[in-house]
Amino acid sequence: QVQLVESGGGLVQTGGSLRLSCAASGGTFSTYGMAWFRQAPGKEREFVAGISRSGNFTDYADSVKGRFTASRDNAKKTGHLQMNSLKPEDTAVYYCAAGAGGNMNSRTDYDYWGQGTQVTVSS
């Protein structure tokens, strides 16, 4: 069983940056792929970024490519999402997830979820 706790959300102006963190406990973090999803009010939860178990492979939603960077430190059992050039449409609750599935951008491949952290980008 893996527990995930996100932090680092907040209010930022358009064009600003935030760095989200995801701290894992329990289980063997390095055996799980990791991803970030987000959910805006009235919308479904959507894939943002994923990173493989080793950290050598990443994938991003088209809407965030070139602006967001996912990373992880297996020794510290943490993951990060660096978000630059933020836009109002990035406003959402951001969730980190961990799982052993092979489809990085699929919600169903993740077994463990954090409680979420709010990101608000003002125009």
Side-chain angles (χ1 to χ4, degrees):
Q1 194 81 4
V2 176
Q3 292 80 43
L4 303 172
V5 178
E6 301 96 337
S7 62
L11 173 64
V12 65
Q13 291 185 334
T14 296
S17 298
L18 283 174
R19 186 180 190 230
L20 304 184
S21 297
C22 178
S25 60
T28 306
F29 182 66
S30 60
T31 65
Y32 295 103
M34 185 183 166
W36 293 88
F37 289 77
R38 67 186 181 187
Q39 188 166 17
K43 295 187 177 181
E44 292 191 358
R45 193 170 298 189
E46 65 174 1
F47 171 78
V48 175
I51 185 165
S52 62
R53 284 170 284 187
S54 65
N56 290 337
F57 181 75
T58 54
D59 191 22
Y60 298 93
D62 288 343
S63 59
V64 307
K65 279 181 181 175
R67 300 188 298 123
F68 290 11
T69 303
S71 62
R72 66 188 292 166
D73 184 334
N74 287 340
K76 295 182 179 180
K77 293 188 175 182
T78 58
H80 300 284
L81 183 67
Q82 178 67 42
M83 306 187 295
N84 298 328
S85 301
L86 282 162
K87 305 175 182 180
E89 51 263 45
D90 295 319
T91 295
V93 177
Y94 283 70
Y95 299 88
C96 67
N103 192 352
M104 190 175 286
N105 60 7
S106 172
R107 287 175 55 184
T108 59
D109 272 27
Y110 294 93
D111 303 303
Y112 306 106
W113 293 82
Q115 82 289 349
T117 186
Q118 176 71 47
V119 171
T120 303
V121 185
S122 63
S123 57

PDB file of all heavy atoms in Angstrom, residues 63-88:
ATOM      1  N   SER A  63      -1.353  19.885 -24.044  1.00  0.00           N
ATOM      2  CA  SER A  63      -1.625  21.209 -23.500  1.00  0.00           C
ATOM      3  C   SER A  63      -0.521  21.724 -22.579  1.00  0.00           C
ATOM      4  O   SER A  63      -0.458  22.926 -22.306  1.00  0.00           O
ATOM      5  CB  SER A  63      -2.955  21.206 -22.748  1.00  0.00           C
ATOM      6  OG  SER A  63      -2.924  20.264 -21.704  1.00  0.00           O
ATOM      7  N   VAL A  64       0.350  20.837 -22.110  1.00  0.00           N
ATOM      8  CA  VAL A  64       1.392  21.269 -21.170  1.00  0.00           C
ATOM      9  C   VAL A  64       2.799  21.026 -21.686  1.00  0.00           C
ATOM     10  O   VAL A  64       3.778  21.409 -21.029  1.00  0.00           O
ATOM     11  CB  VAL A  64       1.223  20.591 -19.792  1.00  0.00           C
ATOM     12  CG1 VAL A  64      -0.191  20.793 -19.256  1.00  0.00           C
ATOM     13  CG2 VAL A  64       1.583  19.120 -19.834  1.00  0.00           C
ATOM     14  N   LYS A  65       2.932  20.418 -22.842  1.00  0.00           N
ATOM     15  CA  LYS A  65       4.263  20.143 -23.395  1.00  0.00           C
ATOM     16  C   LYS A  65       5.061  21.424 -23.557  1.00  0.00           C
ATOM     17  O   LYS A  65       4.558  22.428 -24.037  1.00  0.00           O
ATOM     18  CB  LYS A  65       4.128  19.436 -24.748  1.00  0.00           C
ATOM     19  CG  LYS A  65       3.868  17.963 -24.643  1.00  0.00           C
ATOM     20  CD  LYS A  65       3.775  17.311 -26.014  1.00  0.00           C
ATOM     21  CE  LYS A  65       3.479  15.825 -25.889  1.00  0.00           C
ATOM     22  NZ  LYS A  65       3.276  15.180 -27.205  1.00  0.00           N
ATOM     23  N   GLY A  66       6.303  21.361 -23.118  1.00  0.00           N
ATOM     24  CA  GLY A  66       7.177  22.528 -23.207  1.00  0.00           C
ATOM     25  C   GLY A  66       7.051  23.470 -22.029  1.00  0.00           C
ATOM     26  O   GLY A  66       7.877  24.382 -21.877  1.00  0.00           O
ATOM     27  N   ARG A  67       6.036  23.272 -21.196  1.00  0.00           N
ATOM     28  CA  ARG A  67       5.838  24.146 -20.030  1.00  0.00           C
ATOM     29  C   ARG A  67       5.998  23.397 -18.707  1.00  0.00           C
ATOM     30  O   ARG A  67       6.473  23.985 -17.730  1.00  0.00           O
ATOM     31  CB  ARG A  67       4.440  24.779 -20.075  1.00  0.00           C
ATOM     32  CG  ARG A  67       4.185  25.628 -21.305  1.00  0.00           C
ATOM     33  CD  ARG A  67       2.861  26.389 -21.188  1.00  0.00           C
ATOM     34  NE  ARG A  67       1.705  25.499 -21.098  1.00  0.00           N
ATOM     35  CZ  ARG A  67       0.828  25.527 -20.092  1.00  0.00           C
ATOM     36  NH1 ARG A  67       0.974  26.371 -19.092  1.00  0.00           N
ATOM     37  NH2 ARG A  67      -0.208  24.691 -20.092  1.00  0.00           N
ATOM     38  N   PHE A  68       5.601  22.137 -18.693  1.00  0.00           N
ATOM     39  CA  PHE A  68       5.647  21.336 -17.462  1.00  0.00           C
ATOM     40  C   PHE A  68       6.738  20.276 -17.585  1.00  0.00           C
ATOM     41  O   PHE A  68       6.969  19.735 -18.683  1.00  0.00           O
ATOM     42  CB  PHE A  68       4.324  20.632 -17.220  1.00  0.00           C
ATOM     43  CG  PHE A  68       3.174  21.535 -16.839  1.00  0.00           C
ATOM     44  CD1 PHE A  68       3.250  22.908 -16.927  1.00  0.00           C
ATOM     45  CD2 PHE A  68       1.988  20.971 -16.374  1.00  0.00           C
ATOM     46  CE1 PHE A  68       2.180  23.714 -16.576  1.00  0.00           C
ATOM     47  CE2 PHE A  68       0.913  21.764 -16.003  1.00  0.00           C
ATOM     48  CZ  PHE A  68       1.001  23.130 -16.122  1.00  0.00           C
ATOM     49  N   THR A  69       7.355  19.960 -16.448  1.00  0.00           N
ATOM     50  CA  THR A  69       8.379  18.919 -16.417  1.00  0.00           C
ATOM     51  C   THR A  69       8.166  18.037 -15.192  1.00  0.00           C
ATOM     52  O   THR A  69       8.116  18.542 -14.069  1.00  0.00           O
ATOM     53  CB  THR A  69       9.788  19.517 -16.357  1.00  0.00           C
ATOM     54  OG1 THR A  69       9.991  20.387 -17.474  1.00  0.00           O
ATOM     55  CG2 THR A  69      10.835  18.415 -16.383  1.00  0.00           C
ATOM     56  N   ALA A  70       8.031  16.740 -15.447  1.00  0.00           N
ATOM     57  CA  ALA A  70       7.892  15.773 -14.357  1.00  0.00           C
ATOM     58  C   ALA A  70       9.250  15.182 -14.017  1.00  0.00           C
ATOM     59  O   ALA A  70      10.072  14.933 -14.912  1.00  0.00           O
ATOM     60  CB  ALA A  70       6.925  14.665 -14.760  1.00  0.00           C
ATOM     61  N   SER A  71       9.475  14.944 -12.739  1.00  0.00           N
ATOM     62  CA  SER A  71      10.710  14.307 -12.297  1.00  0.00           C
ATOM     63  C   SER A  71      10.414  13.477 -11.058  1.00  0.00           C
ATOM     64  O   SER A  71       9.331  13.594 -10.468  1.00  0.00           O
ATOM     65  CB  SER A  71      11.790  15.360 -11.993  1.00  0.00           C
ATOM     66  OG  SER A  71      11.379  16.217 -10.941  1.00  0.00           O
ATOM     67  N   ARG A  72      11.366  12.654 -10.683  1.00  0.00           N
ATOM     68  CA  ARG A  72      11.190  11.851  -9.478  1.00  0.00           C
ATOM     69  C   ARG A  72      12.553  11.539  -8.873  1.00  0.00           C
ATOM     70  O   ARG A  72      13.564  11.511  -9.577  1.00  0.00           O
ATOM     71  CB  ARG A  72      10.413  10.569  -9.772  1.00  0.00           C
ATOM     72  CG  ARG A  72      11.122   9.593 -10.670  1.00  0.00           C
ATOM     73  CD  ARG A  72      10.198   8.438 -11.064  1.00  0.00           C
ATOM     74  NE  ARG A  72       9.869   7.588  -9.912  1.00  0.00           N
ATOM     75  CZ  ARG A  72       8.880   6.688  -9.920  1.00  0.00           C
ATOM     76  NH1 ARG A  72       8.138   6.521 -11.006  1.00  0.00           N
ATOM     77  NH2 ARG A  72       8.649   5.957  -8.849  1.00  0.00           N
ATOM     78  N   ASP A  73      12.535  11.294  -7.567  1.00  0.00           N
ATOM     79  CA  ASP A  73      13.733  10.885  -6.838  1.00  0.00           C
ATOM     80  C   ASP A  73      13.350   9.641  -6.049  1.00  0.00           C
ATOM     81  O   ASP A  73      12.710   9.745  -4.998  1.00  0.00           O
ATOM     82  CB  ASP A  73      14.200  12.015  -5.920  1.00  0.00           C
ATOM     83  CG  ASP A  73      15.505  11.692  -5.204  1.00  0.00           C
ATOM     84  OD1 ASP A  73      15.802  10.498  -4.999  1.00  0.00           O
ATOM     85  OD2 ASP A  73      16.213  12.625  -4.827  1.00  0.00           O
ATOM     86  N   ASN A  74      13.710   8.484  -6.560  1.00  0.00           N
ATOM     87  CA  ASN A  74      13.284   7.239  -5.914  1.00  0.00           C
ATOM     88  C   ASN A  74      13.925   7.061  -4.541  1.00  0.00           C
ATOM     89  O   ASN A  74      13.316   6.463  -3.644  1.00  0.00           O
ATOM     90  CB  ASN A  74      13.609   6.047  -6.812  1.00  0.00           C
ATOM     91  CG  ASN A  74      12.681   5.954  -8.004  1.00  0.00           C
ATOM     92  OD1 ASN A  74      11.584   6.524  -7.994  1.00  0.00           O
ATOM     93  ND2 ASN A  74      13.104   5.260  -9.043  1.00  0.00           N
ATOM     94  N   ALA A  75      15.113   7.555  -4.350  1.00  0.00           N
ATOM     95  CA  ALA A  75      15.759   7.435  -3.038  1.00  0.00           C
ATOM     96  C   ALA A  75      14.997   8.216  -1.975  1.00  0.00           C
ATOM     97  O   ALA A  75      14.912   7.794  -0.823  1.00  0.00           O
ATOM     98  CB  ALA A  75      17.198   7.930  -3.122  1.00  0.00           C
ATOM     99  N   LYS A  76      14.423   9.340  -2.381  1.00  0.00           N
ATOM    100  CA  LYS A  76      13.660  10.163  -1.437  1.00  0.00           C
ATOM    101  C   LYS A  76      12.170   9.884  -1.494  1.00  0.00           C
ATOM    102  O   LYS A  76      11.400  10.490  -0.766  1.00  0.00           O
ATOM    103  CB  LYS A  76      13.923  11.645  -1.721  1.00  0.00           C
ATOM    104  CG  LYS A  76      15.361  12.079  -1.470  1.00  0.00           C
ATOM    105  CD  LYS A  76      15.533  13.571  -1.726  1.00  0.00           C
ATOM    106  CE  LYS A  76      16.969  14.002  -1.442  1.00  0.00           C
ATOM    107  NZ  LYS A  76      17.171  15.450  -1.692  1.00  0.00           N
ATOM    108  N   LYS A  77      11.771   8.999  -2.396  1.00  0.00           N
ATOM    109  CA  LYS A  77      10.354   8.651  -2.555  1.00  0.00           C
ATOM    110  C   LYS A  77       9.518   9.897  -2.834  1.00  0.00           C
ATOM    111  O   LYS A  77       8.455  10.106  -2.223  1.00  0.00           O
ATOM    112  CB  LYS A  77       9.819   7.912  -1.330  1.00  0.00           C
ATOM    113  CG  LYS A  77      10.417   6.535  -1.116  1.00  0.00           C
ATOM    114  CD  LYS A  77       9.694   5.798   0.009  1.00  0.00           C
ATOM    115  CE  LYS A  77      10.195   4.385   0.152  1.00  0.00           C
ATOM    116  NZ  LYS A  77       9.456   3.649   1.207  1.00  0.00           N
ATOM    117  N   THR A  78       9.985  10.711  -3.720  1.00  0.00           N
ATOM    118  CA  THR A  78       9.249  11.923  -4.061  1.00  0.00           C
ATOM    119  C   THR A  78       9.162  12.090  -5.578  1.00  0.00           C
ATOM    120  O   THR A  78      10.032  11.617  -6.320  1.00  0.00           O
ATOM    121  CB  THR A  78       9.910  13.175  -3.478  1.00  0.00           C
ATOM    122  OG1 THR A  78      11.254  13.257  -3.961  1.00  0.00           O
ATOM    123  CG2 THR A  78       9.905  13.167  -1.968  1.00  0.00           C
ATOM    124  N   GLY A  79       8.117  12.777  -5.980  1.00  0.00           N
ATOM    125  CA  GLY A  79       7.963  13.168  -7.368  1.00  0.00           C
ATOM    126  C   GLY A  79       7.679  14.652  -7.422  1.00  0.00           C
ATOM    127  O   GLY A  79       7.208  15.241  -6.438  1.00  0.00           O
ATOM    128  N   HIS A  80       7.967  15.253  -8.551  1.00  0.00           N
ATOM    129  CA  HIS A  80       7.752  16.688  -8.690  1.00  0.00           C
ATOM    130  C   HIS A  80       7.154  16.998 -10.056  1.00  0.00           C
ATOM    131  O   HIS A  80       7.369  16.277 -11.031  1.00  0.00           O
ATOM    132  CB  HIS A  80       9.076  17.443  -8.549  1.00  0.00           C
ATOM    133  CG  HIS A  80       9.755  17.246  -7.235  1.00  0.00           C
ATOM    134  ND1 HIS A  80       9.325  17.863  -6.082  1.00  0.00           N
ATOM    135  CD2 HIS A  80      10.808  16.471  -6.881  1.00  0.00           C
ATOM    136  CE1 HIS A  80      10.096  17.500  -5.087  1.00  0.00           C
ATOM    137  NE2 HIS A  80      11.005  16.649  -5.542  1.00  0.00           N
ATOM    138  N   LEU A  81       6.419  18.085 -10.094  1.00  0.00           N
ATOM    139  CA  LEU A  81       5.916  18.606 -11.351  1.00  0.00           C
ATOM    140  C   LEU A  81       6.256  20.094 -11.376  1.00  0.00           C
ATOM    141  O   LEU A  81       5.661  20.878 -10.630  1.00  0.00           O
ATOM    142  CB  LEU A  81       4.411  18.397 -11.484  1.00  0.00           C
ATOM    143  CG  LEU A  81       3.818  18.851 -12.811  1.00  0.00           C
ATOM    144  CD1 LEU A  81       4.334  17.968 -13.953  1.00  0.00           C
ATOM    145  CD2 LEU A  81       2.288  18.820 -12.771  1.00  0.00           C
ATOM    146  N   GLN A  82       7.216  20.462 -12.190  1.00  0.00           N
ATOM    147  CA  GLN A  82       7.588  21.859 -12.369  1.00  0.00           C
ATOM    148  C   GLN A  82       6.680  22.449 -13.434  1.00  0.00           C
ATOM    149  O   GLN A  82       6.645  21.946 -14.566  1.00  0.00           O
ATOM    150  CB  GLN A  82       9.056  21.977 -12.790  1.00  0.00           C
ATOM    151  CG  GLN A  82       9.502  23.402 -13.049  1.00  0.00           C
ATOM    152  CD  GLN A  82       9.513  24.255 -11.795  1.00  0.00           C
ATOM    153  OE1 GLN A  82       9.950  23.800 -10.732  1.00  0.00           O
ATOM    154  NE2 GLN A  82       9.023  25.483 -11.897  1.00  0.00           N
ATOM    155  N   MET A  83       5.971  23.485 -13.079  1.00  0.00           N
ATOM    156  CA  MET A  83       5.004  24.095 -13.986  1.00  0.00           C
ATOM    157  C   MET A  83       5.431  25.532 -14.268  1.00  0.00           C
ATOM    158  O   MET A  83       5.456  26.363 -13.344  1.00  0.00           O
ATOM    159  CB  MET A  83       3.604  24.057 -13.386  1.00  0.00           C
ATOM    160  CG  MET A  83       3.162  22.657 -12.950  1.00  0.00           C
ATOM    161  SD  MET A  83       1.440  22.592 -12.420  1.00  0.00           S
ATOM    162  CE  MET A  83       1.510  23.645 -10.971  1.00  0.00           C
ATOM    163  N   ASN A  84       5.752  25.821 -15.499  1.00  0.00           N
ATOM    164  CA  ASN A  84       6.166  27.159 -15.910  1.00  0.00           C
ATOM    165  C   ASN A  84       5.161  27.745 -16.900  1.00  0.00           C
ATOM    166  O   ASN A  84       4.346  27.019 -17.467  1.00  0.00           O
ATOM    167  CB  ASN A  84       7.554  27.102 -16.558  1.00  0.00           C
ATOM    168  CG  ASN A  84       8.624  26.603 -15.619  1.00  0.00           C
ATOM    169  OD1 ASN A  84       8.574  26.827 -14.415  1.00  0.00           O
ATOM    170  ND2 ASN A  84       9.627  25.916 -16.174  1.00  0.00           N
ATOM    171  N   SER A  85       5.245  29.030 -17.095  1.00  0.00           N
ATOM    172  CA  SER A  85       4.368  29.730 -18.055  1.00  0.00           C
ATOM    173  C   SER A  85       2.908  29.352 -17.832  1.00  0.00           C
ATOM    174  O   SER A  85       2.181  29.009 -18.772  1.00  0.00           O
ATOM    175  CB  SER A  85       4.790  29.396 -19.489  1.00  0.00           C
ATOM    176  OG  SER A  85       6.125  29.765 -19.720  1.00  0.00           O
ATOM    177  N   LEU A  86       2.489  29.424 -16.607  1.00  0.00           N
ATOM    178  CA  LEU A  86       1.135  28.984 -16.256  1.00  0.00           C
ATOM    179  C   LEU A  86       0.072  29.873 -16.888  1.00  0.00           C
ATOM    180  O   LEU A  86       0.270  31.093 -17.048  1.00  0.00           O
ATOM    181  CB  LEU A  86       0.976  28.944 -14.747  1.00  0.00           C
ATOM    182  CG  LEU A  86       1.627  27.714 -14.103  1.00  0.00           C
ATOM    183  CD1 LEU A  86       1.826  27.940 -12.606  1.00  0.00           C
ATOM    184  CD2 LEU A  86       0.786  26.472 -14.336  1.00  0.00           C
ATOM    185  N   LYS A  87      -1.040  29.237 -17.236  1.00  0.00           N
ATOM    186  CA  LYS A  87      -2.165  29.914 -17.873  1.00  0.00           C
ATOM    187  C   LYS A  87      -3.413  29.731 -17.017  1.00  0.00           C
ATOM    188  O   LYS A  87      -3.503  28.757 -16.251  1.00  0.00           O
ATOM    189  CB  LYS A  87      -2.419  29.302 -19.248  1.00  0.00           C
ATOM    190  CG  LYS A  87      -1.216  29.293 -20.172  1.00  0.00           C
ATOM    191  CD  LYS A  87      -1.537  28.547 -21.455  1.00  0.00           C
ATOM    192  CE  LYS A  87      -0.326  28.489 -22.393  1.00  0.00           C
ATOM    193  NZ  LYS A  87      -0.633  27.759 -23.638  1.00  0.00           N
ATOM    194  N   PRO A  88      -4.398  30.598 -17.160  1.00  0.00           N
ATOM    195  CA  PRO A  88      -5.646  30.419 -16.392  1.00  0.00           C
ATOM    196  C   PRO A  88      -6.281  29.055 -16.620  1.00  0.00           C
ATOM    197  O   PRO A  88      -6.879  28.495 -15.690  1.00  0.00           O
ATOM    198  CB  PRO A  88      -6.527  31.561 -16.923  1.00  0.00           C
ATOM    199  CG  PRO A  88      -5.557  32.619 -17.314  1.00  0.00           C
ATOM    200  CD  PRO A  88      -4.377  31.874 -17.885  1.00  0.00           C
TER     201      PRO A  88
END
